[in-house]
Amino acid sequence: MTNVNNQRPLYERPILETAFYPSYKHLIQNDQYEEWGGYTTLASFASEGQEYFSVRNACGVYDICPMLKYRISGSDAERFLNRLMTRNIKKMLPDRVVYCVWCDDNGHLIEDGTLFKFSETEFRLCCAEHQIEWLLDSAIGYDVDIEDVSTDIAALAAQGPVSCSVLKKMGFSGVDNLKPFQLAVFSQLGFDVMISRTGFTGDLGYELWVNSSDAAALWEALFEAGKSRGIRMIGSTALDMLRIEAGLIMVDVEFMSCFHTVRHLREKNPFELGLHWLVDFNKGPFIGRQALLKAKQNKPQRQLVGLDIDWNKQADSALIYDSKDCSRQIGEITSALWSPVLKQNIALAFLDAPFYEGNKSMWAEVYLHRECLWERKVFECRVTPKPFYSPERKSLTPPEDL
Amino acid sequence: MNSLINAIIIGAGHNGLTCAAYLARAGQSVLVLEAAAEVGGLARNRIVANGEQLSSAAHLLHSLPQDIIKDLQLEKYGLHYAAQHLKTVSLNKNGATIVLNKQLAMGDQLSSADLLGYDRFYLDMQRFSKALLPVLGKVAPEIAIEDWRQKLDLLGLGWSIRKLGTFYMREFLRIIGMNLYDLMDEYIENTQLKAAIAMDALLGSEWGARSMGSVLTYLYRQAGELRNNTGLALPRGGMGTVSQAIAKSARQSGADIRCNSPVKHIIIENNKAVGVVLETGEEIYADTVISNADPKQTFLKLINPDHLGTNFVRQVNNLRAKGKAGKLHLVLSQKPSFTGLDDSLLGERLVIAPGMDDIELAFNPSKYKRYPDSPILEIILPSVRDDSLCQNGQQLLSAVVQYLPYDDSTNEDQNRTAMLRVVIETLEEYAPGISDLIITAELLTPRDIEREFGISGGHWHHVELVFESFLFNRPTPLLTRHATPIDNLLLCGASCHPGGNLMGIAGRNAAQQVLRGEK
């Protein structure tokens, strides 16, 4: 990956390019750059609609190099992670990946991420925000090494119904045997490619992990194999649409890390985000357990749910009311989408108790900008289960050969 | 489970013993587990040569409150004084000594301005120390107060500061965060006199006289002394007899004290302390576990970190526990003679601190883990006052050597030997010929104290007495009022409010918290 010159003052440091950037920069047509974790990334390369549909109908590729990657190794690695995470890490098999969250002592959510297990003594944590201080301080008393390998490893997410076929065409024979959240290392390209059946799109998909020095070769091989199958780089706008359909939460959108909230009480716990299934009170002690036990005694005052909204106008940032006259606010929308594949107006929203349960009707107050005029509309909406979209191919092993 | 008792206390230091005594007196079954062969912790005796004993770490008693002495009948159990109200004598190479006796300063080189200034300084500091008293004997009130008793305690502190009157309240609030170096400049000119006073704030501390908060440390020590009426006292038979007396009192009330029983770890089940495992593998269960060990020792060594949160471990790990006080022990063939010191003053508290800048120069190298070229010393010759300690006319010399770094280098042994030489050379400058009298000499560095007494960083007060670790923040907000994040596990040592020195208050208050059911 491009050399990080940490010696220079922050304001003089250039925005970085990911290891794949030189390979795909000729595909950038509309210059919709955005900064992510210090890197130049793209909101879209050419057309966000086409990028979105490439994932639902063919194979879309998203550059996930800016994600933080931590190598966690040592004889206490598993014990360390079992205390760090609210999930039971001891149940994890080698060559598997789990989605997990971790909290501070007060049970406040720090972040979510994916944990890769290579062996009892070697793991990799992948997440969106810097965690090194928390990990190092959590390691006091454990025989564990923690190393930030973010710049050493480059990664691409190849997602969509033909992604498996493309990988097979690249020579990764046996990749179709990977079950969801399973990983394996393939060396057919002459260098090691770790492939995990993971993603952030709610579709069939894989993530490909290589040493940064092999990034260009991986990209060339992937796009060569995929060019007859409609492979396409996608930007963050398309990814955001995909993850909303999959009902997946995003840091700084659905919740803010308790490290970053400036207003006390704006922190979230896993229950408020509907992540009860990620908290295992039976596994023994873990960070935040006491606080979460206490939090669990009462139902959350607010909880994140999926909403189905009448009419077809995307309800971005709308406030939710208990009646059409909008007198009492009961929640707000965090992410909204007119779903192209469902033809449905969906959203993720925080609702007060008791509205997040049951089938009560409620109203979203939406502001529409039409011909330079703002119009206020009130649409009826109701709680609907997540994920909104979950195709069968997502979990089918082996996937259909397309 | 092989036994069920009310409370296990880890560590038979004076606070652990005091806690045991108070619990036992209230009818609780108590077991004290001590790693060493003898009770006392920092307040135990040490055999240096052929049976000569002296106080191994703390060598002067000044803050043990009267009510504890009375409650535990310590005088009945063997607490006697060889001397009380020791004067402080600042030595001078040229023989110009200064003698401090409470409000009175004496010395040929002192000007009338110095004498008046000292008088004013003494009275002001007494006044301010008294303002701290209302909370000093009690469990620190919490800042988010629900309980009326705590509300009263906090109001008491506020009232006692307000009661100083507008002028002195402002003055109190001005100086409380200041450093002693600057404050004394406002009162006194003579630097040797200032240095002699400053010793009270600095002994055992990580910091120098110019460091922030040295005034608070000074007032704290003064306030401690206000709680008893013996002044600086020398217990007969060494400091070990104080611990022995508390232990006897505890045993008399039914407490069981087991030495040579190091605890390996604390057993925790479902966030509750239920007992301990000894190094021998023996498991002992109890309703409550009370740790007299310092917080770093307790939480970073005796507890499986699986049971603790990272925010908490962070706070404990960042506690300031860097001891800088070493201890010198000499057996001398006869009484030494210090330049300009009248023989009648040989049994007082002798101080080698020529001036404020000399203190600072002794302190500076310690910041970089280096040893001082001329250390600051507090010297006691206990055998001058207490003939039970020595035979054949031999004399003992016990000195606190400030500022020695925590030396974890591979050259530790060579450095200790070299430093011992430096200390003896320093003594030789003040007492020519003393080196020829030395029969035995040993120097304990902070690292030695850590090893020998099991105190992290070898810090006397377990945790530095600084503003950030004061009152309800002592030792940290997550460990206030003796409670810990683990249910039924309490702290009772010097790291708790009011902490530090030989007070026993932390131990007594921890016992009271257990009896109140706050654990």
Short mmCIF file of all heavy atoms in Angstrom, two decimals, chain A residues 273-301:
data_model
loop_
_atom_site.label_atom_id
_atom_site.label_comp_id
_atom_site.label_asym_id
_atom_site.label_seq_id
_atom_site.Cartn_x
_atom_site.Cartn_y
_atom_site.Cartn_z
N LEU A 273 -29.67 -1.79 19.52
CA LEU A 273 -29.48 -1.99 18.08
C LEU A 273 -30.08 -3.32 17.62
O LEU A 273 -29.90 -3.71 16.47
CB LEU A 273 -27.99 -1.93 17.74
CG LEU A 273 -27.46 -0.50 17.78
CD1 LEU A 273 -26.00 -0.47 18.13
CD2 LEU A 273 -27.73 0.21 16.47
N GLY A 274 -30.78 -3.99 18.54
CA GLY A 274 -31.39 -5.27 18.17
C GLY A 274 -30.37 -6.39 18.03
O GLY A 274 -30.61 -7.36 17.31
N LEU A 275 -29.24 -6.24 18.69
CA LEU A 275 -28.18 -7.24 18.54
C LEU A 275 -28.14 -8.19 19.74
O LEU A 275 -27.07 -8.64 20.13
CB LEU A 275 -26.83 -6.54 18.36
CG LEU A 275 -26.72 -5.62 17.13
CD1 LEU A 275 -25.41 -4.86 17.13
CD2 LEU A 275 -26.85 -6.43 15.84
N HIS A 276 -29.29 -8.49 20.30
CA HIS A 276 -29.35 -9.42 21.45
C HIS A 276 -28.60 -10.71 21.16
O HIS A 276 -27.94 -11.27 22.02
CB HIS A 276 -30.81 -9.78 21.77
CG HIS A 276 -31.67 -8.59 22.08
ND1 HIS A 276 -32.07 -7.70 21.11
CD2 HIS A 276 -32.21 -8.17 23.24
CE1 HIS A 276 -32.81 -6.77 21.67
NE2 HIS A 276 -32.91 -7.02 22.97
N TRP A 277 -28.71 -11.18 19.95
CA TRP A 277 -28.13 -12.48 19.59
C TRP A 277 -26.61 -12.47 19.63
O TRP A 277 -25.98 -13.53 19.59
CB TRP A 277 -28.62 -12.89 18.20
CG TRP A 277 -28.25 -11.91 17.10
CD1 TRP A 277 -28.82 -10.71 16.84
CD2 TRP A 277 -27.20 -12.07 16.15
NE1 TRP A 277 -28.21 -10.08 15.78
CE2 TRP A 277 -27.20 -10.91 15.34
CE3 TRP A 277 -26.26 -13.07 15.88
CZ2 TRP A 277 -26.30 -10.72 14.29
CZ3 TRP A 277 -25.36 -12.87 14.83
CH2 TRP A 277 -25.39 -11.71 14.05
N LEU A 278 -26.01 -11.28 19.74
CA LEU A 278 -24.55 -11.21 19.79
C LEU A 278 -24.03 -11.19 21.22
O LEU A 278 -22.83 -11.15 21.44
CB LEU A 278 -24.06 -9.94 19.09
CG LEU A 278 -24.11 -9.94 17.56
CD1 LEU A 278 -23.61 -8.62 17.03
CD2 LEU A 278 -23.27 -11.08 17.01
N VAL A 279 -24.93 -11.16 22.20
CA VAL A 279 -24.49 -11.07 23.59
C VAL A 279 -24.76 -12.39 24.28
O VAL A 279 -25.90 -12.84 24.35
CB VAL A 279 -25.24 -9.93 24.33
CG1 VAL A 279 -24.71 -9.79 25.76
CG2 VAL A 279 -25.09 -8.62 23.58
N ASP A 280 -23.69 -13.03 24.75
CA ASP A 280 -23.81 -14.34 25.38
C ASP A 280 -23.47 -14.23 26.87
O ASP A 280 -22.30 -14.18 27.24
CB ASP A 280 -22.89 -15.34 24.68
CG ASP A 280 -23.02 -16.74 25.25
OD1 ASP A 280 -23.74 -16.90 26.26
OD2 ASP A 280 -22.41 -17.66 24.69
N PHE A 281 -24.49 -14.20 27.70
CA PHE A 281 -24.25 -14.07 29.14
C PHE A 281 -23.80 -15.39 29.77
O PHE A 281 -23.35 -15.42 30.89
CB PHE A 281 -25.52 -13.58 29.85
CG PHE A 281 -25.81 -12.13 29.60
CD1 PHE A 281 -26.93 -11.75 28.88
CD2 PHE A 281 -24.96 -11.14 30.07
CE1 PHE A 281 -27.21 -10.42 28.64
CE2 PHE A 281 -25.23 -9.80 29.84
CZ PHE A 281 -26.35 -9.45 29.12
N ASN A 282 -23.92 -16.47 29.02
CA ASN A 282 -23.58 -17.77 29.60
C ASN A 282 -22.12 -18.16 29.40
O ASN A 282 -21.67 -19.18 29.88
CB ASN A 282 -24.48 -18.87 29.00
CG ASN A 282 -25.93 -18.61 29.33
OD1 ASN A 282 -26.24 -18.21 30.45
ND2 ASN A 282 -26.80 -18.82 28.37
N LYS A 283 -21.40 -17.34 28.65
CA LYS A 283 -20.03 -17.75 28.31
C LYS A 283 -19.02 -17.40 29.40
O LYS A 283 -17.85 -17.70 29.27
CB LYS A 283 -19.61 -17.10 26.99
CG LYS A 283 -19.38 -15.60 27.10
CD LYS A 283 -18.63 -15.07 25.89
CE LYS A 283 -18.34 -13.60 26.03
NZ LYS A 283 -17.40 -13.10 25.04
N GLY A 284 -19.44 -16.74 30.46
CA GLY A 284 -18.49 -16.29 31.47
C GLY A 284 -18.26 -14.80 31.34
O GLY A 284 -18.97 -14.13 30.57
N PRO A 285 -17.30 -14.26 32.09
CA PRO A 285 -17.14 -12.81 32.11
C PRO A 285 -16.65 -12.23 30.78
O PRO A 285 -15.94 -12.89 30.04
CB PRO A 285 -16.10 -12.59 33.20
CG PRO A 285 -15.38 -13.88 33.34
CD PRO A 285 -16.35 -14.95 32.98
N PHE A 286 -17.09 -11.03 30.48
CA PHE A 286 -16.55 -10.27 29.34
C PHE A 286 -16.73 -8.80 29.65
O PHE A 286 -17.46 -8.44 30.58
CB PHE A 286 -17.25 -10.67 28.03
CG PHE A 286 -18.74 -10.47 28.02
CD1 PHE A 286 -19.30 -9.25 27.63
CD2 PHE A 286 -19.61 -11.49 28.41
CE1 PHE A 286 -20.68 -9.06 27.63
CE2 PHE A 286 -20.98 -11.31 28.42
CZ PHE A 286 -21.52 -10.09 28.02
N ILE A 287 -16.07 -7.96 28.89
CA ILE A 287 -16.10 -6.53 29.19
C ILE A 287 -17.51 -5.98 28.99
O ILE A 287 -18.10 -6.14 27.92
CB ILE A 287 -15.09 -5.76 28.31
CG1 ILE A 287 -13.68 -6.30 28.54
CG2 ILE A 287 -15.14 -4.25 28.62
CD1 ILE A 287 -12.66 -5.75 27.57
N GLY A 288 -18.04 -5.35 30.01
CA GLY A 288 -19.37 -4.76 29.93
C GLY A 288 -20.49 -5.68 30.41
O GLY A 288 -21.66 -5.31 30.40
N ARG A 289 -20.12 -6.90 30.83
CA ARG A 289 -21.15 -7.89 31.17
C ARG A 289 -22.08 -7.40 32.28
O ARG A 289 -23.32 -7.50 32.15
CB ARG A 289 -20.49 -9.20 31.61
CG ARG A 289 -21.48 -10.30 31.92
CD ARG A 289 -20.77 -11.61 32.22
NE ARG A 289 -21.71 -12.72 32.28
CZ ARG A 289 -22.32 -13.10 33.39
NH1 ARG A 289 -22.10 -12.46 34.51
NH2 ARG A 289 -23.17 -14.10 33.38
N GLN A 290 -21.50 -6.85 33.34
CA GLN A 290 -22.33 -6.41 34.46
C GLN A 290 -23.32 -5.34 34.02
O GLN A 290 -24.50 -5.38 34.37
CB GLN A 290 -21.44 -5.88 35.61
CG GLN A 290 -20.60 -6.94 36.28
CD GLN A 290 -21.42 -8.12 36.75
OE1 GLN A 290 -21.34 -9.21 36.17
NE2 GLN A 290 -22.24 -7.91 37.76
N ALA A 291 -22.81 -4.38 33.26
CA ALA A 291 -23.67 -3.28 32.81
C ALA A 291 -24.75 -3.80 31.87
O ALA A 291 -25.90 -3.37 31.92
CB ALA A 291 -22.82 -2.22 32.12
N LEU A 292 -24.38 -4.75 31.00
CA LEU A 292 -25.37 -5.27 30.04
C LEU A 292 -26.42 -6.13 30.74
O LEU A 292 -27.59 -6.11 30.34
CB LEU A 292 -24.66 -6.05 28.93
CG LEU A 292 -23.86 -5.18 27.95
CD1 LEU A 292 -23.04 -6.04 27.00
CD2 LEU A 292 -24.78 -4.26 27.16
N LEU A 293 -25.99 -6.86 31.78
CA LEU A 293 -26.97 -7.64 32.56
C LEU A 293 -28.03 -6.71 33.13
O LEU A 293 -29.22 -7.02 33.12
CB LEU A 293 -26.25 -8.36 33.70
CG LEU A 293 -25.81 -9.80 33.48
CD1 LEU A 293 -25.07 -10.30 34.70
CD2 LEU A 293 -27.00 -10.70 33.16
N LYS A 294 -27.55 -5.58 33.62
CA LYS A 294 -28.46 -4.60 34.21
C LYS A 294 -29.37 -4.01 33.12
O LYS A 294 -30.58 -3.88 33.32
CB LYS A 294 -27.62 -3.48 34.85
CG LYS A 294 -28.19 -2.94 36.12
CD LYS A 294 -27.14 -2.10 36.82
CE LYS A 294 -27.78 -1.01 37.62
NZ LYS A 294 -26.79 -0.04 38.09
N ALA A 295 -28.75 -3.72 31.98
CA ALA A 295 -29.53 -3.14 30.87
C ALA A 295 -30.58 -4.13 30.39
O ALA A 295 -31.66 -3.74 29.94
CB ALA A 295 -28.59 -2.76 29.73
N LYS A 296 -30.27 -5.42 30.48
CA LYS A 296 -31.17 -6.43 29.94
C LYS A 296 -32.40 -6.63 30.82
O LYS A 296 -33.43 -7.13 30.36
CB LYS A 296 -30.41 -7.75 29.82
CG LYS A 296 -31.01 -8.68 28.78
CD LYS A 296 -30.43 -10.06 28.90
CE LYS A 296 -31.30 -11.03 28.14
NZ LYS A 296 -31.30 -12.34 28.79
N GLN A 297 -32.28 -6.23 32.09
CA GLN A 297 -33.41 -6.41 33.00
C GLN A 297 -34.65 -5.66 32.52
O GLN A 297 -35.77 -6.10 32.71
CB GLN A 297 -33.04 -5.93 34.41
CG GLN A 297 -32.14 -6.93 35.13
CD GLN A 297 -31.60 -6.37 36.43
OE1 GLN A 297 -31.90 -5.24 36.79
NE2 GLN A 297 -30.82 -7.17 37.13
N ASN A 298 -34.40 -4.52 31.90
CA ASN A 298 -35.52 -3.76 31.37
C ASN A 298 -35.45 -3.80 29.84
O ASN A 298 -34.38 -3.90 29.27
CB ASN A 298 -35.44 -2.30 31.82
CG ASN A 298 -35.37 -2.21 33.33
OD1 ASN A 298 -36.18 -2.79 34.03
ND2 ASN A 298 -34.35 -1.53 33.82
N LYS A 299 -36.60 -3.70 29.22
CA LYS A 299 -36.60 -3.61 27.76
C LYS A 299 -35.97 -2.28 27.37
O LYS A 299 -36.13 -1.29 28.08
CB LYS A 299 -38.03 -3.66 27.25
CG LYS A 299 -38.55 -5.07 27.18
CD LYS A 299 -39.84 -5.11 26.40
CE LYS A 299 -40.24 -6.56 26.16
NZ LYS A 299 -41.55 -6.67 25.56
N PRO A 300 -35.25 -2.26 26.23
CA PRO A 300 -34.65 -0.98 25.83
C PRO A 300 -35.73 0.10 25.63
O PRO A 300 -36.84 -0.20 25.20
CB PRO A 300 -33.96 -1.29 24.50
CG PRO A 300 -34.02 -2.75 24.30
CD PRO A 300 -34.98 -3.33 25.28
N GLN A 301 -35.35 1.31 25.99
CA GLN A 301 -36.30 2.42 25.79
C GLN A 301 -36.48 2.71 24.30
O GLN A 301 -37.52 3.18 23.88
CB GLN A 301 -35.79 3.67 26.49
CG GLN A 301 -35.86 3.53 28.00
CD GLN A 301 -35.47 4.80 28.71
OE1 GLN A 301 -34.73 5.61 28.16
NE2 GLN A 301 -35.98 4.98 29.89
#
